[in-house]
Amino acid sequence: MHVSHLSLADFRSYARAEVPLDPGVTAFVGPNGQGKTNLVEAIGYLATLGSHRVSSDAPLVRMGAERAVIRAAVTQGERQQLVELELNPGRANRARINRSSQVRPRDVLGIVRTVLFAPEDLALVKGDPGERRRFLDELVTARSPRMAAVRSDYERVLKQRNTLLKSAAMARRHGGRSMDMSTLDVWDQHLARTGAELLAHRLDLLATLLPLADKAYEQLAPGGGPLGVAYKSSAGEQVDGGGARTREALYEVLLGALGEVRKQEIERGVTLVGPHRDDVLLRLGELPAKGYASHGESWSYALALRLASYELLRSEGSEPVLILDDVFAELDARRRERLAELVAPGEQVLVTAAVDDDVPGVLVGTRFAVSGGEVTRL
């Protein structure tokens, strides 16, 4: 699978952009701040319905414009599809496939699949739990696009449950009449049911991903492993290496944990148990990676997770587009060459770099110069 054409309207710094793309390696080269990352960010948005740089859509719309449009022609074998997203901050986004009538934005998931390497990936190892949860959930959805609906349902239930808990907490603090909390039992069941589905997919993913990540780390930094993971659940279940659990068993665990913390939840006005509060503990050798791994080791760990994601998606379906956003400048010469050798055979590899010298020689292909919002093929 590869993107054969990218069109942008009022996206980030681009009033308009038309970029034809080829299979193989394509490098966007130009000084920082000229719009290189904006191009690959747009492709990544089509794959995940989110940006790897910001948490909301508003910054993605060009200053002064009301909306932004991302459109891409996607080729998979003999099949071609045109996918389009219209970003409307403060209102519902809109989507079209093959210029047909509107579909839901999440219906485009799976048409474009990407694995994106970026400087922000260091947060997978050094950052907060939310970074690792996002990594898992985006990969879960890439493997199974229907999980976008499960994630959406979970967020909706969580929001409703938190609203009820917050109202109860405020009533208690102000000495008002106690609220009827009988509906909380219903929300507990909904949260446990959707949470169990999401948790089961996360655990299955980790179990499959770990050996691939361990292999990738050995390729990037020979003799530096092994890697280890442990899923730390807010329900009190810590599963070393992502061991499998049945959905029904996970439902019972979550439901029981919610019952145990109900008093504290009512006091604090927030849901304390569920996948939204879980974490993944990463180990390098016998030590936690966070706080113990060096900068180079942390980079290699993050890259290994992305390479493992690529291998997993490739083994389960069409090959994803590999995006390397200003990554090579962050690596020492040895890691730079090893990474380049590993990704060079990809069906489509998109690279951004400030100067040509940052693109390893093995990544031979198309070059675009990006300057002042203009994208010029060299």
Side-chain angles (χ1 to χ4, degrees):
M1 185 272 294
H2 67 274
V3 176
S4 56
H5 195 95
L6 174 67
S7 300
L8 301 178
D10 292 323
F11 182 84
R12 288 285 196 180
S13 58
Y14 292 99
R16 292 288 186 275
E18 299 291 338
V19 186
L21 295 168
D22 300 320
V25 176
T26 297
F28 299 99
V29 180
N32 292 332
Q34 300 302 303
K36 305 183 302 295
T37 293
N38 298 347
L39 298 171
V40 295
E41 180 183 27
I43 295 174
Y45 192 101
L46 290 174
T48 64
L49 301 184
S51 163
H52 70 288
R53 302 160 75 193
V54 293
S55 59
S56 69
D57 288 348
L60 305 180
V61 178
R62 190 172 64 91
M63 185 68 69
E66 293 184 359
R67 64 184 64 84
V69 175
I70 308 170
R71 185 183 298 112
V74 183
T75 301
Q76 183 172 355
E78 298 299 318
R79 184 185 185 192
Q80 292 191 337
Q81 288 183 282
L82 186 67
V83 57
E84 178 181 313
L85 284 174
E86 180 181 285
L87 280 55
N88 299 294
R91 294 174 291 128
N93 292 342
R94 302 169 68 183
R96 295 171 67 184
I97 299 174
N98 294 331
R99 300 190 185 279
S100 67
S101 58
Q102 275 185 226
V103 295
R104 296 169 301 180
R106 71 183 185 218
D107 290 334
V108 309
L109 291 171
I111 296 177
V112 179
R113 299 207 300 178
T114 64
V115 171
L116 189 148
F117 302 72
E120 290 84 356
D121 282 346
L122 200 60
L124 290 176
V125 179
K126 293 188 172 184
D128 295 331
E131 300 290 343
R132 290 177 285 280
R133 290 195 297 265
R134 177 181 172 180
F135 166 73
L136 289 181
D137 291 345
E138 286 186 351
L139 188 50
V140 159
T141 304
R143 295 180 79 193
S144 178
R146 74 171 187 84
M147 286 302 295
V150 175
R151 291 169 60 188
S152 179
D153 288 346
Y154 182 83
E155 293 297 327
R156 176 183 57 81
V157 172
L158 179 63
K159 183 177 179 180
Q160 294 283 356
R161 193 174 185 277
N162 280 341
T163 298
L164 180 60
L165 289 169
K166 185 176 180 180
S167 297
M170 290 181 65
R172 171 174 291 198
R173 290 171 192 156
H174 292 89
R177 188 175 61 181
S178 297
M179 296 181 59
D180 180 9
M181 301 299 291
S182 59
T183 56
L184 194 57
D185 291 334
V186 177
W187 289 118
D188 283 2
Q189 293 170 21
H190 287 323
L191 191 80
R193 186 63 65 190
T194 54
E197 182 73 11
L198 180 55
L199 183 52
H201 276 266
R202 286 183 181 179
L203 295 176
D204 176 67
L205 171 61
L206 279 178
T208 307
L209 197 66
L210 178 58
L212 297 175
D214 198 44
K215 178 182 176 182
Y217 191 89
E218 178 63 23
Q219 292 172 317
L220 289 167
L227 306 187
V229 299
Y231 191 89
K232 185 178 181 182
S233 170
S234 54
E237 292 289 305
Q238 182 167 310
V239 184
D240 191 29
R245 299 289 181 91
T246 67
R247 285 158 177 73
E248 197 58 38
L250 291 169
Y251 168 77
E252 295 296 338
V253 168
L254 287 171
L255 194 62
L258 287 167
E260 292 175 2
V261 299
R262 176 172 290 193
K263 181 178 179 180
Q264 297 98 296
E265 288 185 329
I266 293 175
E267 290 174 350
R268 296 174 58 177
V270 67
T271 301
L272 299 176
V273 168
H276 65 289
R277 296 181 69 92
D278 294 353
D279 194 6
V280 178
L281 305 181
L282 305 177
R283 295 195 306 272
L284 182 59
E286 298 300 319
L287 297 173
K290 185 176 181 179
Y292 288 89
S294 69
H295 183 76
E297 288 171 334
S298 297
W299 252 115
S300 295
Y301 207 131
L303 290 171
L305 291 173
R306 292 299 187 188
L307 285 170
S309 303
Y310 169 70
E311 290 297 333
L312 178 59
L313 293 177
R314 186 171 68 166
S315 70
E316 295 181 344
S318 63
E319 187 168 334
V321 177
L322 276 168
I323 299 175
L324 297 96
D325 180 24
D326 200 25
V327 167
F328 290 111
E330 300 283 340
L331 302 176
D332 60 38
R334 180 172 60 88
R335 288 185 173 90
R336 179 184 300 194
E337 292 304 318
R338 286 185 179 276
L339 177 60
E341 290 168 2
L342 289 172
V343 303
E347 180 177 349
Q348 186 169 49
V349 182
L350 306 180
V351 181
T352 71
V355 295
D356 268 320
D357 287 346
D358 284 344
V359 183
V362 69
L363 296 179
V364 178
T366 306
R367 290 288 191 276
F368 286 91
V370 182
S371 179
E374 296 293 326
V375 185
T376 307
R377 189 165 187 157
L378 300 176

